[in-house]
Amino acid sequence: MTNVLFVTADEPGSGKTAICLGLMYSLGKMVGRVAYFKPIVRGDHGADPDVELLRSLGTEMERTSVVRMEEVREALAKGEVEGLLNEVEEEFARVAREQDVVVVEGTDLVEAFSVTDVSTVSDINIHLAERLGARVLLVLDGGPQKSPDDIITDAKMSQNYLCNRRHCDLLGVIINKVDRDKYDDVNTRVRRELRKAGLETFGVVPQAPLLGKPRMDEVAEALGAKVLYGEEHLSNIAMHTIVAAMHVRNMLSYVDEGTLIIVPGDRDDILLAAACAPLSKNSPSLAGLVLTGGLYPHENVWKLVEGIPGMRIPVLLVEEDTYTTVSRINEIRPAVRPDDERKLSLIKDLVDRYIDERRLYEAMRIRRTRKVTAQDFLNRIVEQATSDKKHIVFPEGDEPRTLRAVERIVARGVADVTLLGEEERVYERARELGVNLNGVEVIDPGKAELEEFTRTFYELRKHKGLTVEQAKDYVMDPIYYGTMMVYMGRADGLVSGAVHPTAHTIRPALQIIKAKPGISVVSSVFFMCLQDRVVLFGDCAIVPDPTAEQLADIALTSAQTALAFGIEPYVAMLSYATGSSAEGGSVEKVRRATELVRERNPDLPVEGPIQFDAAYDREVARIKLPESQIAGKTTVFIFPDLDSGNIAYKAVQRSAGAIAVGPILQGLKKPVNDLSRGCSVEDIFYVTAITVVQAQEVESNTT
């Protein structure tokens, strides 16, 4: 039977859609089939933005809305409500067919408190909840204008309407957009008072100003503006708006990160100052500029502005006066759009951190039915990282993919971050990309205090003939500097390799951090995220032609890595032959390595030599190696050399569409991880989360 969660709110502006989106994300990790249904939408034409957002994010749907608000009002006026309800119910039945859970986004209750029958839009909304057999979740607006007592009053009024007058099955409430100054009071006293009234509170979510701010494309649409410049930067978010009526020198005091400047089109001085702002490391990143009064910039001034390199703000032109323009901007109700990565990440993070999903789903009696997929595995790593975030250093501080990943890493609370590089260059590149580096430390090794690092590195390497002067030159290199940060406890891990070869990342780690006791070789694994499982491939990046002893070490450390990430290790020592079907130097090396693994860890399930098909496929395993305990269910694949390992991971990645996360270095005392030079922003994000989990493991083993 399909579970139906009907989400309604006490009033408009509660953030109900964001809560629905977060719950869809949460439920998607738990059950296999989740649908979204919005029976009543506002507006008389065009696609509903909330429906389009969910569609773009992968929710399978043909239609999820049935009627528009105007149709509801007409039905109310004509007394034809029953026909409208039947139409909605039929469409819901189609959407809900074969779904585990349907999240229904209803309208708000604000109109409902003075009526006794089905006579308003709000009553129709709740009448639908009754007819659909839904459990109701109420989103309360806890915005800055609401006192804790206001929230309690609103909750009890809504409870009276839903339970006593409409007889709904009210699960409880989520209090959203709570002012941070009032958060503790709401999270304790308000929760306690609502519990006394029989209302369960499943979450108290703090206000997230970013979600309520419009993008520049929304500003342009709302104003009917002409875009004079910067269409590629219309995704900039306007965090706050100022009217530039002062001289430039005074206006600059009011400019902050994400400022939208409203100014008459004949103020050449303001236009020039805004155009030059991205070139200054002392200036925050602007969101954009709106020129009012239909006044085009002077031809000479505009020619100058267009030639400024690195100008990364959209310039809009409107016919209205400044006062009217500001009023219309203030009326914008921002929506989360499919390409709003910052907002989408923030919503997921808020749900993960502040809503007790477990209690909510237990109250709904929803049980986990979904198989653990590759994305589930990656989500679990991120959740584990955010539970105890560590400090990660990135030596490639001005690399574009790294900067974009770092913004997401900080926004999701995965790690504290230090970027290494020339400070001016790092901030300049971030401004070019529109990346927010708030909360990120930037260090220029060339200008940093190097005495302690130099002395320590000299002591570590003087037996190799290193001089103090040479040691200083080494630690000015960002990768050496970052590795010293990890060694000295100034950071918990390092991620590099987006532009540097593997040797450049691993050499400092081997010289400074060094291998764990008892480990003869530092190696690597890739987490290969396939459609139906996650497995490890090793070694695919470090050791060209391992000996039997080194191959055994790689297998044992790979098994430990698997365990650290919740994967039960079943180890296959791969070869071109299975069992005793062939002889030869390579096969003998694998056979000897397998024997060493069994000697050193008799409890570890391991098989070798074994061919890939027998290790992976149960049917092949049944024929080739019927007595094997791991054949057909291998989770750790150990390749006999770097050629075969590297070829295999890239072949699977490209031809099967697998997500390959790595290479993840293993065997070091502290985590240092190398990236492929073809890595994506997603790769850097997940490798960082893995590095954090490795750092957590190091900490747990030393306490």
Side-chain angles (χ1 to χ4, degrees):
M1 182 177 178
T2 303
N3 286 280
V4 185
L5 179 61
F6 194 99
V7 183
T8 187
D10 60 336
E11 58 185 275
S14 63
K16 166 169 50 72
T17 297
I19 295 296
C20 285
L21 177 60
L23 292 174
M24 289 287 294
Y25 157 75
S26 170
L27 283 162
K29 296 186 295 182
M30 184 176 181
V31 297
R33 298 162 299 179
V34 184
Y36 170 82
F37 185 72
K38 188 174 183 180
I40 302 173
V41 297
R42 297 187 178 276
D44 299 323
H45 61 276
D48 181 85
D50 300 337
V51 173
E52 291 306 304
L53 173 65
L54 268 294
R55 189 196 307 276
S56 70
L57 296 177
T59 305
E60 294 184 7
M61 55 180 80
E62 296 173 21
R63 292 172 58 201
T64 58
S65 56
V66 181
V67 295
R68 300 192 175 276
M69 191 67 72
E70 189 57 35
E71 296 176 73
V72 176
R73 299 193 189 282
E74 289 178 7
L76 285 167
K78 296 177 181 179
E80 298 174 352
V81 172
E82 188 63 28
L84 182 145
L85 291 173
N86 288 337
E87 182 183 352
V88 172
E89 198 167 0
E90 288 175 9
E91 178 64 10
F92 173 81
R94 187 195 66 77
V95 171
R97 192 177 301 122
E98 297 182 356
Q99 298 295 327
D100 295 310
V101 183
V102 179
V103 176
V104 181
E105 182 179 352
T107 57
D108 307 313
L109 304 182
V110 70
E111 301 176 0
F113 298 125
S114 61
V115 296
T116 57
D117 57 4
V118 182
S119 58
T120 70
V121 172
S122 298
D123 268 359
I124 289 177
N125 173 53
I126 296 305
H127 202 63
L128 281 171
E130 296 173 302
R131 289 178 63 151
L132 300 179
R135 317 290 300 279
V136 176
L137 178 66
L138 175 65
V139 179
L140 294 168
D141 182 6
Q145 74 282 5
K146 295 289 186 70
S147 70
D149 289 329
D150 290 336
I151 296 171
I152 293 170
T153 300
D154 290 348
K156 290 182 177 179
M157 288 179 63
S158 298
Q159 180 189 31
N160 180 58
Y161 169 72
L162 291 167
C163 298
N164 297 337
R165 291 167 57 185
R166 300 304 315 170
H167 308 293
C168 288
D169 184 358
L170 179 59
L171 275 170
V173 303
I174 290 173
I175 308 171
N176 195 28
K177 301 170 67 174
V178 176
D179 189 88
R180 291 184 182 270
D181 291 338
K182 303 169 188 171
Y183 186 86
D184 290 341
D185 195 13
V186 173
N187 199 36
T188 53
R189 184 170 68 87
V190 172
R191 259 190 138 129
R192 185 170 59 248
E193 290 301 315
L194 295 187
R195 189 175 294 112
K196 289 179 183 177
L199 270 177
E200 188 65 48
T201 303
F202 292 108
V204 177
V205 183
Q207 186 181 33
L210 179 69
L211 296 180
K213 303 300 180 181
R215 296 180 5 155
M216 287 303 299
D217 49 9
E218 292 177 294
V219 172
E221 290 168 14
L223 300 179
K226 181 177 182 178
V227 182
L228 298 183
Y229 182 86
E231 287 195 14
E232 67 273 26
H233 301 298
L234 287 172
S235 60
N236 290 358
I237 297 175
M239 295 302 295
H240 68 112
T241 303
I242 65 170
V243 175
M246 302 175 178
H247 289 295
V248 170
R249 62 179 179 269
N250 296 318
M251 178 207 71
L252 291 174
S253 300
Y254 295 89
V255 173
D256 205 344
E257 194 74 25
T259 295
L260 169 60
I261 300 175
I262 315 296
V263 64
D266 59 359
R267 287 293 302 274
D268 298 338
D269 56 336
I270 301 295
L271 173 60
L272 287 169
C276 292
L279 302 178
S280 172
K281 67 178 181 179
N282 296 323
S283 172
S285 298
L286 301 179
L289 197 68
V290 177
L291 307 180
T292 63
L295 299 169
Y296 281 78
H298 188 277
E299 179 182 353
N300 291 338
V301 173
W302 188 245
K303 185 177 180 180
L304 182 64
V305 167
E306 285 188 306
I308 295 175
M311 180 172 157
R312 294 173 296 279
I313 60 171
V315 179
L316 312 181
L317 178 69
V318 298
E319 296 295 327
E320 287 81 4
D321 61 78
T322 300
Y323 177 81
T324 303
T325 300
V326 172
S327 297
R328 291 178 65 184
I329 289 174
N330 290 337
E331 292 171 358
I332 296 174
R333 294 181 62 182
V336 180
R337 302 196 175 198
D339 58 346
D340 262 332
E341 185 171 313
R342 287 175 64 190
K343 289 187 178 183
L344 291 170
S345 294
L346 178 57
I347 288 169
K348 292 177 181 180
D349 183 51
L350 290 171
V351 170
D352 284 341
R353 293 176 63 185
Y354 295 105
I355 294 179
D356 193 337
E357 303 151 84
R358 182 184 58 80
R359 282 198 305 121
L360 174 59
Y361 300 148
E362 282 179 356
M364 291 184 66
R365 297 180 177 84
I366 296 176
R367 296 184 178 181
R368 177 176 288 278
T369 59
R370 185 180 179 189
K371 286 184 176 180
V372 177
T373 65
Q375 193 58 52
D376 293 329
F377 171 74
L378 295 173
N379 290 339
R380 190 173 72 230
I381 289 174
V382 172
E383 289 168 7
Q384 187 172 341
T386 58
S387 70
D388 182 18
K389 67 179 180 178
K390 300 300 180 186
H391 185 170
I392 306 301
V393 59
F394 294 83
E396 299 162 330
D398 61 357
E399 199 280 320
R401 291 163 295 171
T402 300
L403 285 166
R404 293 189 187 281
V406 161
E407 180 180 45
R408 183 177 173 192
I409 287 160
V410 173
R412 289 292 305 275
V414 170
D416 294 322
V417 168
T418 294
L419 291 172
L420 301 181
E422 294 181 18
E423 189 173 351
E424 185 174 342
R425 176 63 176 158
V426 171
Y427 284 116
E428 178 186 1
R429 183 57 64 89
R431 284 193 293 270
E432 289 174 0
L433 298 169
V435 167
N436 183 352
L437 291 184
N438 287 347
V440 175
E441 180 184 39
V442 179
I443 296 176
D444 183 349
K447 297 179 180 178
E449 176 55 55
L450 299 174
E451 183 180 348
E452 186 180 9
F453 281 9
T454 299
R455 186 174 63 252
T456 303
F457 185 61
Y458 167 71
E459 292 295 330
L460 288 170
R461 302 295 293 171
K462 65 182 181 182
H463 67 286
K464 294 289 187 179
L466 188 76
T467 66
V468 173
E469 290 75 18
Q470 290 171 329
K472 184 175 181 179
D473 288 340
Y474 271 109
V475 298
M476 288 177 65
D477 177 285
I479 296 181
Y480 273 90
Y481 188 94
T483 307
M484 287 300 300
M485 285 182 67
V486 176
Y487 179 78
M488 302 287 285
R490 311 263 178 96
D492 299 302
L494 178 145
V495 174
S496 183
V499 293
H500 290 93
T502 294
H504 200 164
T505 297
I506 193 173
R507 186 182 298 112
L510 294 174
Q511 293 175 348
I512 298 168
I513 294 174
K514 301 182 180 177
K516 296 176 183 176
I519 298 295
S520 66
V521 63
V522 171
S523 59
S524 73
V525 291
F526 278 86
F527 286 97
M528 302 299 296
C529 301
L530 310 174
Q531 283 189 344
D532 60 344
R533 66 182 102 172
V534 177
V535 298
L536 280 71
F537 281 13
D539 174 13
C540 306
I542 305 296
V543 188
D545 187 16
T547 65
E549 290 73 17
Q550 290 174 328
L551 202 59
D553 254 359
I554 293 169
L556 290 164
T557 51
S558 298
Q560 291 170 3
T561 299
L563 274 174
F565 289 90
I567 298 172
E568 188 70 24
Y570 290 88
V571 181
M573 308 294 287
L574 297 174
S575 178
Y576 65 82
T578 295
S580 58
S581 64
E583 302 293 335
S586 175
V587 177
E588 288 304 317
K589 179 179 77 171
V590 173
R591 186 172 289 120
R592 174 59 183 154
T594 306
E595 292 170 357
L596 290 171
V597 171
R598 287 174 176 152
E599 289 173 10
R600 292 171 60 182
N601 188 349
D603 296 325
L604 178 66
V606 60
E607 191 68 65
I610 185 171
Q611 292 165 288
F612 187 93
D613 58 352
Y616 186 84
D617 188 277
R618 290 179 183 274
E619 286 304 307
V620 175
R622 185 176 58 81
I623 298 168
K624 290 189 174 183
L625 215 60
E627 303 300 321
S628 173
Q629 58 178 323
I630 69 102
K633 55 181 180 180
T634 300
T635 56
V636 180
F637 295 83
I638 304 301
F639 292 86
D641 54 41
L642 189 56
D643 279 343
S644 57
N646 194 272
I647 291 168
Y649 106 77
K650 288 184 177 178
V652 173
Q653 179 189 35
R654 300 300 178 185
S655 63
I659 300 171
V661 183
I664 305 302
L665 302 189
Q666 51 188 13
L668 290 167
K669 292 179 181 177
K670 292 185 177 182
V672 169
N673 279 316
D674 180 43
L675 299 163
S676 165
R677 278 171 284 177
C679 65
S680 66
V681 172
E682 289 275 300
D683 294 335
I684 299 171
F685 177 79
Y686 288 120
V687 167
T688 303
I690 287 172
T691 307
V692 171
V693 174
Q694 288 178 311
Q696 293 170 352
E697 184 79 6
V698 169
E699 184 179 64
S700 67
N701 289 335
T702 56
T703 56

